[in-house]
Amino acid sequence: MTDGSVRAIEEADRIVVARLVLELWGAHTAVAHGEVFFPASLPGFLVERQGQVLGLLTYTVTESMLEIVTIDALRRGRGVGTLLVDATVRKARQIGCTRVRLTTTNDNLDALRFYQRRGFKLCALRPDAVREARKLKPEIPTVGDYGIPITDELDLERWVAPRQ
């Protein structure tokens, strides 16, 4: 487990967040379910240790759902992603959301394993959605993890009991 601490993104972090998003996502945008997001302008969390960023998560909120837009552990297998998900679930409860949702792609087997082990369940499949997403973000590669063609979007969702 990491000895890093998780905290909310602050305005002073926006430049660092923008740089990380560009480096990790290949553009200043993320696309899911036909919507373009600008992660550097969204709320979220950072995991830091001794002033070094170890992880980043951005999200948006609509009605009773908190949607994770981006999540990145800069070093995998050290608990950073779990810290980010746990902070997000706490935030969702705090603001009265009943669900935390996210979108990934069919090639992202490691992410599918990670999310399901943390209580997320598959709830939607959009076949060939990535073809449309590439019209909004041409930087999306055609082949992803393990040599799998990137074609479909998958939504995962975790129900959250609101704070009493």
Side-chain angles (χ1 to χ4, degrees), residues 28 35 55-56 73 77 92 117 119-120 125 130 137 142 144 146 148 160:
H28 290 288
E35 189 171 346
L56 164 68
R117 290 182 66 188
F120 287 82
L125 165 67
V130 179
K137 183 180 174 183
T142 56
Y146 307 105
I148 298 171
V160 177

Side-chain angles (χ1 to χ4, degrees), residues 53-125:
V53 175
L54 303 177
L56 164 68
L57 181 147
T58 62
Y59 66 86
T60 186
V61 176
T62 54
E63 297 177 21
S64 63
M65 183 178 66
L66 186 151
E67 180 177 2
I68 296 172
V69 175
T70 65
I71 179 172
D72 293 285
L74 302 182
R75 293 191 203 124
R76 291 184 177 184
R78 298 192 177 180
V80 172
T82 300
L83 283 174
L84 290 166
V85 167
D86 290 349
T88 303
V89 168
R90 282 192 303 274
K91 181 66 174 180
R93 277 192 189 106
Q94 177 188 23
I95 61 176
C97 291
T98 57
R99 298 174 294 155
V100 176
R101 183 179 270 201
L102 59 93
T103 300
T104 190
T105 50
N106 62 287
D107 70 301
N108 203 346
L109 303 180
D110 293 335
L112 290 167
R113 181 183 66 211
F114 173 83
Y115 297 127
Q116 290 178 84
R117 290 182 66 188
R118 281 148 191 87
F120 287 82
K121 294 185 177 186
L122 290 162
C123 63
L125 165 67

